[in-house]
Amino acid sequence: MLTCDFCGTTASDEAGAALTWSMGVEHGRVRRFCPRCSREHVRGMEGKLDSDAW
Ligand SMILES: [Zn+2]
């Protein structure tokens, strides 16, 4: 099961979610974001900002 590190939503279909969810490594920890958060925060992600700063 995937859990969004921003909004906390979950996806039971891990294989399907892997296609649409975003993944990144911050401070040595893997972070995953659902498609909705990925879209809303795409600018921050492109700017390589930590999600803590969103
Ligand atoms: Zn989310």
Side-chain angles (χ1 to χ4, degrees):
M1 173 144 5
L2 287 174
T3 303
C4 177
D5 282 303
F6 191 76
C7 72
T9 194
T10 57
S12 54
D13 181 6
E14 196 161 335
L19 299 174
T20 52
W21 284 45
S22 298
M23 220 179 75
V25 179
E26 294 174 3
H27 308 299
R29 292 180 309 182
V30 176
R31 297 221 183 203
R32 297 169 199 272
F33 304 106
C34 66
R36 189 170 63 93
C37 289
S38 299
R39 275 199 303 276
E40 290 181 359
H41 302 291
V42 64
R43 300 181 77 172
M45 295 173 74
E46 287 177 347
K48 305 291 188 217
L49 294 175
D50 288 346
S51 57
D52 294 336
W54 291 352

mmCIF file of all heavy atoms in Angstrom:
data_model
loop_
_atom_site.group_PDB
_atom_site.id
_atom_site.type_symbol
_atom_site.label_atom_id
_atom_site.label_comp_id
_atom_site.label_asym_id
_atom_site.label_seq_id
_atom_site.Cartn_x
_atom_site.Cartn_y
_atom_site.Cartn_z
ATOM 1 N N MET A 1 0.834 -1.202 0.000
ATOM 2 C CA MET A 1 0.000 0.000 0.000
ATOM 3 C C MET A 1 0.867 1.250 0.000
ATOM 4 O O MET A 1 1.817 1.361 0.738
ATOM 5 C CB MET A 1 -0.914 -0.002 1.231
ATOM 6 C CG MET A 1 -1.650 1.303 1.347
ATOM 7 S SD MET A 1 -3.316 1.362 1.932
ATOM 8 C CE MET A 1 -3.798 -0.248 2.428
ATOM 9 N N LEU A 2 0.476 2.187 -0.865
ATOM 10 C CA LEU A 2 1.186 3.462 -0.927
ATOM 11 C C LEU A 2 0.460 4.491 -0.074
ATOM 12 O O LEU A 2 -0.761 4.527 -0.034
ATOM 13 C CB LEU A 2 1.250 3.971 -2.357
ATOM 14 C CG LEU A 2 2.200 3.254 -3.325
ATOM 15 C CD1 LEU A 2 2.018 3.811 -4.724
ATOM 16 C CD2 LEU A 2 3.630 3.378 -2.889
ATOM 17 N N THR A 3 1.197 5.318 0.597
ATOM 18 C CA THR A 3 0.612 6.426 1.350
ATOM 19 C C THR A 3 1.233 7.729 0.877
ATOM 20 O O THR A 3 2.448 7.855 0.811
ATOM 21 C CB THR A 3 0.872 6.250 2.856
ATOM 22 O OG1 THR A 3 0.350 5.000 3.269
ATOM 23 C CG2 THR A 3 0.195 7.369 3.638
ATOM 24 N N CYS A 4 0.377 8.703 0.561
ATOM 25 C CA CYS A 4 0.876 10.000 0.135
ATOM 26 C C CYS A 4 1.511 10.710 1.326
ATOM 27 O O CYS A 4 0.882 10.843 2.378
ATOM 28 C CB CYS A 4 -0.269 10.833 -0.437
ATOM 29 S SG CYS A 4 0.235 12.499 -0.906
ATOM 30 N N ASP A 5 2.731 11.170 1.162
ATOM 31 C CA ASP A 5 3.425 11.821 2.270
ATOM 32 C C ASP A 5 2.951 13.246 2.485
ATOM 33 O O ASP A 5 3.355 13.892 3.450
ATOM 34 C CB ASP A 5 4.938 11.811 2.013
ATOM 35 C CG ASP A 5 5.540 10.451 2.306
ATOM 36 O OD1 ASP A 5 5.369 9.979 3.445
ATOM 37 O OD2 ASP A 5 6.163 9.869 1.410
ATOM 38 N N PHE A 6 2.099 13.733 1.588
ATOM 39 C CA PHE A 6 1.617 15.099 1.776
ATOM 40 C C PHE A 6 0.211 15.120 2.362
ATOM 41 O O PHE A 6 -0.038 15.762 3.367
ATOM 42 C CB PHE A 6 1.656 15.844 0.446
ATOM 43 C CG PHE A 6 1.426 17.326 0.610
ATOM 44 C CD1 PHE A 6 2.443 18.137 1.088
ATOM 45 C CD2 PHE A 6 0.208 17.883 0.302
ATOM 46 C CE1 PHE A 6 2.233 19.487 1.262
ATOM 47 C CE2 PHE A 6 -0.012 19.239 0.471
ATOM 48 C CZ PHE A 6 1.000 20.042 0.955
ATOM 49 N N CYS A 7 -0.738 14.403 1.738
ATOM 50 C CA CYS A 7 -2.124 14.457 2.206
ATOM 51 C C CYS A 7 -2.538 13.195 2.950
ATOM 52 O O CYS A 7 -3.580 13.180 3.592
ATOM 53 C CB CYS A 7 -3.063 14.733 1.040
ATOM 54 S SG CYS A 7 -3.258 13.340 -0.087
ATOM 55 N N GLY A 8 -1.743 12.145 2.861
ATOM 56 C CA GLY A 8 -2.035 10.951 3.630
ATOM 57 C C GLY A 8 -2.986 9.981 2.955
ATOM 58 O O GLY A 8 -3.336 8.961 3.541
ATOM 59 N N THR A 9 -3.415 10.287 1.735
ATOM 60 C CA THR A 9 -4.287 9.360 1.037
ATOM 61 C C THR A 9 -3.520 8.082 0.697
ATOM 62 O O THR A 9 -2.293 8.083 0.633
ATOM 63 C CB THR A 9 -4.854 10.000 -0.248
ATOM 64 O OG1 THR A 9 -5.938 9.197 -0.709
ATOM 65 C CG2 THR A 9 -3.802 10.080 -1.340
ATOM 66 N N THR A 10 -4.246 7.003 0.523
ATOM 67 C CA THR A 10 -3.586 5.728 0.277
ATOM 68 C C THR A 10 -4.052 5.125 -1.037
ATOM 69 O O THR A 10 -5.133 5.440 -1.523
ATOM 70 C CB THR A 10 -3.882 4.730 1.413
ATOM 71 O OG1 THR A 10 -5.292 4.571 1.528
ATOM 72 C CG2 THR A 10 -3.317 5.223 2.719
ATOM 73 N N ALA A 11 -3.227 4.267 -1.588
ATOM 74 C CA ALA A 11 -3.571 3.541 -2.805
ATOM 75 C C ALA A 11 -3.251 2.073 -2.580
ATOM 76 O O ALA A 11 -2.131 1.715 -2.242
ATOM 77 C CB ALA A 11 -2.782 4.083 -3.997
ATOM 78 N N SER A 12 -4.264 1.243 -2.723
ATOM 79 C CA SER A 12 -4.050 -0.187 -2.481
ATOM 80 C C SER A 12 -3.408 -0.859 -3.687
ATOM 81 O O SER A 12 -2.752 -1.878 -3.552
ATOM 82 C CB SER A 12 -5.382 -0.866 -2.151
ATOM 83 O OG SER A 12 -6.331 -0.601 -3.171
ATOM 84 N N ASP A 13 -3.611 -0.252 -4.875
ATOM 85 C CA ASP A 13 -3.043 -0.822 -6.096
ATOM 86 C C ASP A 13 -1.655 -0.241 -6.327
ATOM 87 O O ASP A 13 -1.485 0.758 -7.009
ATOM 88 C CB ASP A 13 -3.953 -0.509 -7.282
ATOM 89 C CG ASP A 13 -3.404 -1.110 -8.577
ATOM 90 O OD1 ASP A 13 -2.401 -1.852 -8.514
ATOM 91 O OD2 ASP A 13 -3.978 -0.836 -9.631
ATOM 92 N N GLU A 14 -0.681 -0.865 -5.729
ATOM 93 C CA GLU A 14 0.666 -0.286 -5.759
ATOM 94 C C GLU A 14 1.237 -0.271 -7.171
ATOM 95 O O GLU A 14 1.912 0.661 -7.574
ATOM 96 C CB GLU A 14 1.591 -1.082 -4.831
ATOM 97 C CG GLU A 14 2.862 -0.346 -4.507
ATOM 98 C CD GLU A 14 3.538 -0.891 -3.263
ATOM 99 O OE1 GLU A 14 2.847 -1.479 -2.411
ATOM 100 O OE2 GLU A 14 4.757 -0.731 -3.145
ATOM 101 N N ALA A 15 0.955 -1.308 -7.951
ATOM 102 C CA ALA A 15 1.484 -1.376 -9.316
ATOM 103 C C ALA A 15 0.867 -0.268 -10.164
ATOM 104 O O ALA A 15 1.561 0.402 -10.931
ATOM 105 C CB ALA A 15 1.203 -2.739 -9.918
ATOM 106 N N GLY A 16 -0.443 -0.054 -10.023
ATOM 107 C CA GLY A 16 -1.092 0.986 -10.798
ATOM 108 C C GLY A 16 -0.684 2.367 -10.323
ATOM 109 O O GLY A 16 -0.479 3.275 -11.122
ATOM 110 N N ALA A 17 -0.541 2.522 -9.037
ATOM 111 C CA ALA A 17 -0.190 3.823 -8.485
ATOM 112 C C ALA A 17 1.214 4.233 -8.896
ATOM 113 O O ALA A 17 1.506 5.413 -9.039
ATOM 114 C CB ALA A 17 -0.301 3.788 -6.960
ATOM 115 N N ALA A 18 2.062 3.266 -9.097
ATOM 116 C CA ALA A 18 3.446 3.569 -9.465
ATOM 117 C C ALA A 18 3.508 4.345 -10.774
ATOM 118 O O ALA A 18 4.463 5.064 -11.022
ATOM 119 C CB ALA A 18 4.257 2.282 -9.574
ATOM 120 N N LEU A 19 2.459 4.195 -11.594
ATOM 121 C CA LEU A 19 2.452 4.884 -12.884
ATOM 122 C C LEU A 19 2.080 6.357 -12.738
ATOM 123 O O LEU A 19 2.450 7.172 -13.574
ATOM 124 C CB LEU A 19 1.445 4.218 -13.828
ATOM 125 C CG LEU A 19 1.719 2.746 -14.166
ATOM 126 C CD1 LEU A 19 0.577 2.177 -14.993
ATOM 127 C CD2 LEU A 19 3.034 2.595 -14.909
ATOM 128 N N THR A 20 1.334 6.682 -11.705
ATOM 129 C CA THR A 20 0.815 8.039 -11.597
ATOM 130 C C THR A 20 1.357 8.788 -10.388
ATOM 131 O O THR A 20 1.316 10.000 -10.341
ATOM 132 C CB THR A 20 -0.725 8.015 -11.522
ATOM 133 O OG1 THR A 20 -1.116 7.117 -10.491
ATOM 134 C CG2 THR A 20 -1.321 7.555 -12.846
ATOM 135 N N TRP A 21 1.815 8.070 -9.406
ATOM 136 C CA TRP A 21 2.342 8.734 -8.206
ATOM 137 C C TRP A 21 3.768 9.202 -8.446
ATOM 138 O O TRP A 21 4.495 8.633 -9.248
ATOM 139 C CB TRP A 21 2.301 7.767 -7.015
ATOM 140 C CG TRP A 21 0.920 7.575 -6.444
ATOM 141 C CD1 TRP A 21 -0.219 7.363 -7.140
ATOM 142 C CD2 TRP A 21 0.559 7.584 -5.063
ATOM 143 N NE1 TRP A 21 -1.272 7.233 -6.283
ATOM 144 C CE2 TRP A 21 -0.830 7.362 -4.998
ATOM 145 C CE3 TRP A 21 1.284 7.757 -3.880
ATOM 146 C CZ2 TRP A 21 -1.504 7.323 -3.781
ATOM 147 C CZ3 TRP A 21 0.608 7.704 -2.671
ATOM 148 C CH2 TRP A 21 -0.775 7.499 -2.629
ATOM 149 N N SER A 22 4.143 10.227 -7.709
ATOM 150 C CA SER A 22 5.506 10.734 -7.814
ATOM 151 C C SER A 22 6.322 10.242 -6.630
ATOM 152 O O SER A 22 5.806 10.023 -5.542
ATOM 153 C CB SER A 22 5.495 12.259 -7.822
ATOM 154 O OG SER A 22 4.786 12.722 -8.945
ATOM 155 N N MET A 23 7.594 10.079 -6.882
ATOM 156 C CA MET A 23 8.474 9.622 -5.823
ATOM 157 C C MET A 23 9.711 10.504 -5.800
ATOM 158 O O MET A 23 10.196 10.931 -6.836
ATOM 159 C CB MET A 23 8.894 8.174 -6.085
ATOM 160 C CG MET A 23 8.947 7.326 -4.852
ATOM 161 S SD MET A 23 9.421 5.630 -5.272
ATOM 162 C CE MET A 23 11.171 5.869 -5.568
ATOM 163 N N GLY A 24 10.164 10.796 -4.608
ATOM 164 C CA GLY A 24 11.376 11.588 -4.502
ATOM 165 C C GLY A 24 12.086 11.249 -3.211
ATOM 166 O O GLY A 24 11.506 10.671 -2.297
ATOM 167 N N VAL A 25 13.339 11.619 -3.135
ATOM 168 C CA VAL A 25 14.114 11.368 -1.927
ATOM 169 C C VAL A 25 14.501 12.704 -1.319
ATOM 170 O O VAL A 25 15.078 13.558 -1.988
ATOM 171 C CB VAL A 25 15.379 10.548 -2.230
ATOM 172 C CG1 VAL A 25 16.172 10.322 -0.939
ATOM 173 C CG2 VAL A 25 15.006 9.217 -2.862
ATOM 174 N N GLU A 26 14.118 12.886 -0.068
ATOM 175 C CA GLU A 26 14.463 14.107 0.637
ATOM 176 C C GLU A 26 15.085 13.730 1.970
ATOM 177 O O GLU A 26 14.531 12.935 2.711
ATOM 178 C CB GLU A 26 13.208 14.956 0.883
ATOM 179 C CG GLU A 26 12.598 15.484 -0.408
ATOM 180 C CD GLU A 26 11.275 16.193 -0.128
ATOM 181 O OE1 GLU A 26 10.904 16.306 1.044
ATOM 182 O OE2 GLU A 26 10.644 16.606 -1.112
ATOM 183 N N HIS A 27 16.193 14.316 2.250
ATOM 184 C CA HIS A 27 16.872 14.060 3.519
ATOM 185 C C HIS A 27 17.094 12.566 3.730
ATOM 186 O O HIS A 27 16.979 12.057 4.836
ATOM 187 C CB HIS A 27 16.073 14.642 4.688
ATOM 188 C CG HIS A 27 15.722 16.075 4.497
ATOM 189 N ND1 HIS A 27 16.666 17.062 4.359
ATOM 190 C CD2 HIS A 27 14.523 16.690 4.375
ATOM 191 C CE1 HIS A 27 16.058 18.222 4.191
ATOM 192 N NE2 HIS A 27 14.766 18.021 4.178
ATOM 193 N N GLY A 28 17.325 11.854 2.616
ATOM 194 C CA GLY A 28 17.613 10.439 2.724
ATOM 195 C C GLY A 28 16.392 9.564 2.911
ATOM 196 O O GLY A 28 16.524 8.367 3.083
ATOM 197 N N ARG A 29 15.204 10.177 2.896
ATOM 198 C CA ARG A 29 13.987 9.387 3.053
ATOM 199 C C ARG A 29 13.186 9.429 1.759
ATOM 200 O O ARG A 29 13.113 10.462 1.112
ATOM 201 C CB ARG A 29 13.135 9.922 4.206
ATOM 202 C CG ARG A 29 13.771 9.719 5.567
ATOM 203 C CD ARG A 29 12.875 10.270 6.641
ATOM 204 N NE ARG A 29 12.475 11.652 6.329
ATOM 205 C CZ ARG A 29 11.730 12.400 7.116
ATOM 206 N NH1 ARG A 29 11.285 11.921 8.238
ATOM 207 N NH2 ARG A 29 11.421 13.627 6.775
ATOM 208 N N VAL A 30 12.550 8.310 1.419
ATOM 209 C CA VAL A 30 11.727 8.260 0.216
ATOM 210 C C VAL A 30 10.373 8.880 0.518
ATOM 211 O O VAL A 30 9.741 8.589 1.530
ATOM 212 C CB VAL A 30 11.531 6.801 -0.242
ATOM 213 C CG1 VAL A 30 10.585 6.761 -1.444
ATOM 214 C CG2 VAL A 30 12.864 6.178 -0.598
ATOM 215 N N ARG A 31 9.961 9.767 -0.368
ATOM 216 C CA ARG A 31 8.647 10.394 -0.236
ATOM 217 C C ARG A 31 7.820 10.037 -1.453
ATOM 218 O O ARG A 31 8.326 9.994 -2.565
ATOM 219 C CB ARG A 31 8.797 11.908 -0.145
ATOM 220 C CG ARG A 31 9.550 12.371 1.061
ATOM 221 C CD ARG A 31 8.884 13.575 1.612
ATOM 222 N NE ARG A 31 9.600 14.130 2.754
ATOM 223 C CZ ARG A 31 8.997 14.879 3.650
ATOM 224 N NH1 ARG A 31 7.724 15.152 3.527
ATOM 225 N NH2 ARG A 31 9.662 15.364 4.664
ATOM 226 N N ARG A 32 6.526 9.814 -1.223
ATOM 227 C CA ARG A 32 5.622 9.495 -2.329
ATOM 228 C C ARG A 32 4.452 10.456 -2.300
ATOM 229 O O ARG A 32 3.947 10.792 -1.227
ATOM 230 C CB ARG A 32 5.115 8.055 -2.202
ATOM 231 C CG ARG A 32 6.217 7.029 -2.300
ATOM 232 C CD ARG A 32 5.678 5.671 -1.893
ATOM 233 N NE ARG A 32 6.753 4.751 -1.551
ATOM 234 C CZ ARG A 32 7.366 3.979 -2.437
ATOM 235 N NH1 ARG A 32 7.013 4.014 -3.683
ATOM 236 N NH2 ARG A 32 8.330 3.183 -2.068
ATOM 237 N N PHE A 33 4.014 10.858 -3.485
ATOM 238 C CA PHE A 33 2.920 11.821 -3.569
ATOM 239 C C PHE A 33 1.886 11.339 -4.570
ATOM 240 O O PHE A 33 2.226 10.910 -5.671
ATOM 241 C CB PHE A 33 3.452 13.193 -3.980
ATOM 242 C CG PHE A 33 4.532 13.695 -3.061
ATOM 243 C CD1 PHE A 33 5.853 13.694 -3.454
ATOM 244 C CD2 PHE A 33 4.220 14.136 -1.787
ATOM 245 C CE1 PHE A 33 6.856 14.133 -2.604
ATOM 246 C CE2 PHE A 33 5.207 14.573 -0.932
ATOM 247 C CZ PHE A 33 6.532 14.577 -1.340
ATOM 248 N N CYS A 34 0.609 11.451 -4.183
ATOM 249 C CA CYS A 34 -0.485 11.020 -5.045
ATOM 250 C C CYS A 34 -0.581 11.959 -6.253
ATOM 251 O O CYS A 34 -0.026 13.059 -6.237
ATOM 252 C CB CYS A 34 -1.797 11.004 -4.255
ATOM 253 S SG CYS A 34 -2.361 12.632 -3.734
ATOM 254 N N PRO A 35 -1.301 11.545 -7.290
ATOM 255 C CA PRO A 35 -1.401 12.380 -8.497
ATOM 256 C C PRO A 35 -1.930 13.774 -8.205
ATOM 257 O O PRO A 35 -1.484 14.753 -8.799
ATOM 258 C CB PRO A 35 -2.377 11.582 -9.383
ATOM 259 C CG PRO A 35 -2.209 10.171 -8.931
ATOM 260 C CD PRO A 35 -1.949 10.244 -7.456
ATOM 261 N N ARG A 36 -2.880 13.901 -7.301
ATOM 262 C CA ARG A 36 -3.449 15.214 -7.001
ATOM 263 C C ARG A 36 -2.398 16.136 -6.389
ATOM 264 O O ARG A 36 -2.227 17.283 -6.808
ATOM 265 C CB ARG A 36 -4.638 15.054 -6.041
ATOM 266 C CG ARG A 36 -5.424 16.327 -5.852
ATOM 267 C CD ARG A 36 -6.703 16.046 -5.092
ATOM 268 N NE ARG A 36 -6.444 15.539 -3.744
ATOM 269 C CZ ARG A 36 -6.367 16.311 -2.669
ATOM 270 N NH1 ARG A 36 -6.522 17.616 -2.786
ATOM 271 N NH2 ARG A 36 -6.144 15.794 -1.489
ATOM 272 N N CYS A 37 -1.687 15.643 -5.408
ATOM 273 C CA CYS A 37 -0.643 16.459 -4.783
ATOM 274 C C CYS A 37 0.486 16.710 -5.773
ATOM 275 O O CYS A 37 1.091 17.782 -5.760
ATOM 276 C CB CYS A 37 -0.111 15.749 -3.542
ATOM 277 S SG CYS A 37 -1.299 15.725 -2.193
ATOM 278 N N SER A 38 0.762 15.749 -6.616
ATOM 279 C CA SER A 38 1.833 15.932 -7.596
ATOM 280 C C SER A 38 1.520 17.101 -8.502
ATOM 281 O O SER A 38 2.389 17.914 -8.811
ATOM 282 C CB SER A 38 1.996 14.658 -8.437
ATOM 283 O OG SER A 38 2.331 13.568 -7.613
ATOM 284 N N ARG A 39 0.241 17.197 -8.918
ATOM 285 C CA ARG A 39 -0.151 18.302 -9.798
ATOM 286 C C ARG A 39 -0.109 19.627 -9.051
ATOM 287 O O ARG A 39 0.396 20.629 -9.547
ATOM 288 C CB ARG A 39 -1.560 18.069 -10.346
ATOM 289 C CG ARG A 39 -1.599 17.198 -11.586
ATOM 290 C CD ARG A 39 -2.908 17.380 -12.316
ATOM 291 N NE ARG A 39 -4.057 17.080 -11.470
ATOM 292 C CZ ARG A 39 -4.539 15.872 -11.275
ATOM 293 N NH1 ARG A 39 -3.973 14.844 -11.877
ATOM 294 N NH2 ARG A 39 -5.570 15.658 -10.495
ATOM 295 N N GLU A 40 -0.668 19.621 -7.842
ATOM 296 C CA GLU A 40 -0.756 20.873 -7.095
ATOM 297 C C GLU A 40 0.614 21.415 -6.731
ATOM 298 O O GLU A 40 0.811 22.610 -6.591
ATOM 299 C CB GLU A 40 -1.583 20.657 -5.823
ATOM 300 C CG GLU A 40 -3.055 20.430 -6.134
ATOM 301 C CD GLU A 40 -3.853 20.237 -4.854
ATOM 302 O OE1 GLU A 40 -3.252 20.263 -3.768
ATOM 303 O OE2 GLU A 40 -5.076 20.057 -4.964
ATOM 304 N N HIS A 41 1.544 20.529 -6.569
ATOM 305 C CA HIS A 41 2.844 20.969 -6.078
ATOM 306 C C HIS A 41 3.949 20.748 -7.095
ATOM 307 O O HIS A 41 5.113 20.690 -6.748
ATOM 308 C CB HIS A 41 3.171 20.238 -4.773
ATOM 309 C CG HIS A 41 2.126 20.478 -3.718
ATOM 310 N ND1 HIS A 41 1.956 21.702 -3.111
ATOM 311 C CD2 HIS A 41 1.175 19.669 -3.224
ATOM 312 C CE1 HIS A 41 0.939 21.604 -2.267
ATOM 313 N NE2 HIS A 41 0.436 20.399 -2.314
ATOM 314 N N VAL A 42 3.530 20.622 -8.357
ATOM 315 C CA VAL A 42 4.527 20.339 -9.389
ATOM 316 C C VAL A 42 5.565 21.449 -9.456
ATOM 317 O O VAL A 42 6.737 21.209 -9.719
ATOM 318 C CB VAL A 42 3.846 20.115 -10.752
ATOM 319 C CG1 VAL A 42 3.148 21.388 -11.232
ATOM 320 C CG2 VAL A 42 4.851 19.660 -11.775
ATOM 321 N N ARG A 43 5.151 22.681 -9.205
ATOM 322 C CA ARG A 43 6.116 23.783 -9.289
ATOM 323 C C ARG A 43 7.174 23.648 -8.207
ATOM 324 O O ARG A 43 8.359 23.871 -8.457
ATOM 325 C CB ARG A 43 5.399 25.122 -9.151
ATOM 326 C CG ARG A 43 4.373 25.318 -10.256
ATOM 327 C CD ARG A 43 3.686 26.649 -10.142
ATOM 328 N NE ARG A 43 4.528 27.741 -10.609
ATOM 329 C CZ ARG A 43 4.114 28.986 -10.762
ATOM 330 N NH1 ARG A 43 2.874 29.311 -10.484
ATOM 331 N NH2 ARG A 43 4.914 29.917 -11.197
ATOM 332 N N GLY A 44 6.736 23.308 -7.028
ATOM 333 C CA GLY A 44 7.692 23.134 -5.948
ATOM 334 C C GLY A 44 8.620 21.964 -6.212
ATOM 335 O O GLY A 44 9.803 22.012 -5.910
ATOM 336 N N MET A 45 8.039 20.910 -6.795
ATOM 337 C CA MET A 45 8.858 19.740 -7.058
ATOM 338 C C MET A 45 9.883 20.057 -8.142
ATOM 339 O O MET A 45 11.030 19.657 -8.056
ATOM 340 C CB MET A 45 7.967 18.571 -7.500
ATOM 341 C CG MET A 45 7.032 18.143 -6.391
ATOM 342 S SD MET A 45 5.838 16.913 -6.948
ATOM 343 C CE MET A 45 6.882 15.478 -7.077
ATOM 344 N N GLU A 46 9.441 20.795 -9.160
ATOM 345 C CA GLU A 46 10.376 21.148 -10.223
ATOM 346 C C GLU A 46 11.475 22.059 -9.695
ATOM 347 O O GLU A 46 12.591 22.059 -10.186
ATOM 348 C CB GLU A 46 9.631 21.833 -11.365
ATOM 349 C CG GLU A 46 8.797 20.853 -12.169
ATOM 350 C CD GLU A 46 8.005 21.546 -13.262
ATOM 351 O OE1 GLU A 46 7.927 22.790 -13.216
ATOM 352 O OE2 GLU A 46 7.461 20.852 -14.126
ATOM 353 N N GLY A 47 11.123 22.873 -8.683
ATOM 354 C CA GLY A 47 12.109 23.761 -8.108
ATOM 355 C C GLY A 47 12.974 23.081 -7.077
ATOM 356 O O GLY A 47 13.768 23.729 -6.413
ATOM 357 N N LYS A 48 12.786 21.770 -6.914
ATOM 358 C CA LYS A 48 13.577 20.970 -5.982
ATOM 359 C C LYS A 48 13.429 21.476 -4.545
ATOM 360 O O LYS A 48 14.352 21.399 -3.752
ATOM 361 C CB LYS A 48 15.069 21.007 -6.363
ATOM 362 C CG LYS A 48 15.335 20.580 -7.789
ATOM 363 C CD LYS A 48 15.079 19.100 -7.995
ATOM 364 C CE LYS A 48 15.547 18.658 -9.392
ATOM 365 N NZ LYS A 48 14.679 17.672 -9.993
ATOM 366 N N LEU A 49 12.255 22.018 -4.252
ATOM 367 C CA LEU A 49 12.020 22.451 -2.878
ATOM 368 C C LEU A 49 11.605 21.250 -2.033
ATOM 369 O O LEU A 49 10.917 20.371 -2.511
ATOM 370 C CB LEU A 49 10.896 23.490 -2.830
ATOM 371 C CG LEU A 49 11.194 24.823 -3.519
ATOM 372 C CD1 LEU A 49 9.941 25.684 -3.499
ATOM 373 C CD2 LEU A 49 12.335 25.528 -2.813
ATOM 374 N N ASP A 50 11.976 21.262 -0.811
ATOM 375 C CA ASP A 50 11.514 20.229 0.092
ATOM 376 C C ASP A 50 10.019 20.378 0.301
ATOM 377 O O ASP A 50 9.501 21.483 0.351
ATOM 378 C CB ASP A 50 12.217 20.360 1.453
ATOM 379 C CG ASP A 50 13.678 19.933 1.356
ATOM 380 O OD1 ASP A 50 14.047 19.310 0.356
ATOM 381 O OD2 ASP A 50 14.421 20.230 2.301
ATOM 382 N N SER A 51 9.324 19.284 0.439
ATOM 383 C CA SER A 51 7.885 19.352 0.619
ATOM 384 C C SER A 51 7.541 20.058 1.935
ATOM 385 O O SER A 51 6.449 20.585 2.089
ATOM 386 C CB SER A 51 7.276 17.947 0.611
ATOM 387 O OG SER A 51 7.884 17.159 1.606
ATOM 388 N N ASP A 52 8.453 20.099 2.857
ATOM 389 C CA ASP A 52 8.188 20.798 4.111
ATOM 390 C C ASP A 52 7.958 22.281 3.875
ATOM 391 O O ASP A 52 7.309 22.954 4.670
ATOM 392 C CB ASP A 52 9.385 20.643 5.066
ATOM 393 C CG ASP A 52 9.549 19.189 5.484
ATOM 394 O OD1 ASP A 52 8.557 18.447 5.430
ATOM 395 O OD2 ASP A 52 10.660 18.824 5.857
ATOM 396 N N ALA A 53 8.472 22.780 2.761
ATOM 397 C CA ALA A 53 8.400 24.215 2.479
ATOM 398 C C ALA A 53 7.178 24.582 1.649
ATOM 399 O O ALA A 53 6.952 25.759 1.401
ATOM 400 C CB ALA A 53 9.666 24.665 1.749
ATOM 401 N N TRP A 54 6.379 23.584 1.253
ATOM 402 C CA TRP A 54 5.252 23.875 0.386
ATOM 403 C C TRP A 54 4.228 24.680 1.116
ATOM 404 O O TRP A 54 3.402 24.538 1.651
ATOM 405 C CB TRP A 54 4.646 22.587 -0.179
ATOM 406 C CG TRP A 54 5.575 21.915 -1.154
ATOM 407 C CD1 TRP A 54 6.739 22.404 -1.663
ATOM 408 C CD2 TRP A 54 5.437 20.591 -1.694
ATOM 409 N NE1 TRP A 54 7.302 21.458 -2.494
ATOM 410 C CE2 TRP A 54 6.545 20.374 -2.535
ATOM 411 C CE3 TRP A 54 4.444 19.600 -1.525
ATOM 412 C CZ2 TRP A 54 6.697 19.180 -3.219
ATOM 413 C CZ3 TRP A 54 4.614 18.428 -2.201
ATOM 414 C CH2 TRP A 54 5.736 18.206 -3.056
HETATM 415 ZN ZN ZN B 1 -1.630 13.466 -1.753
#
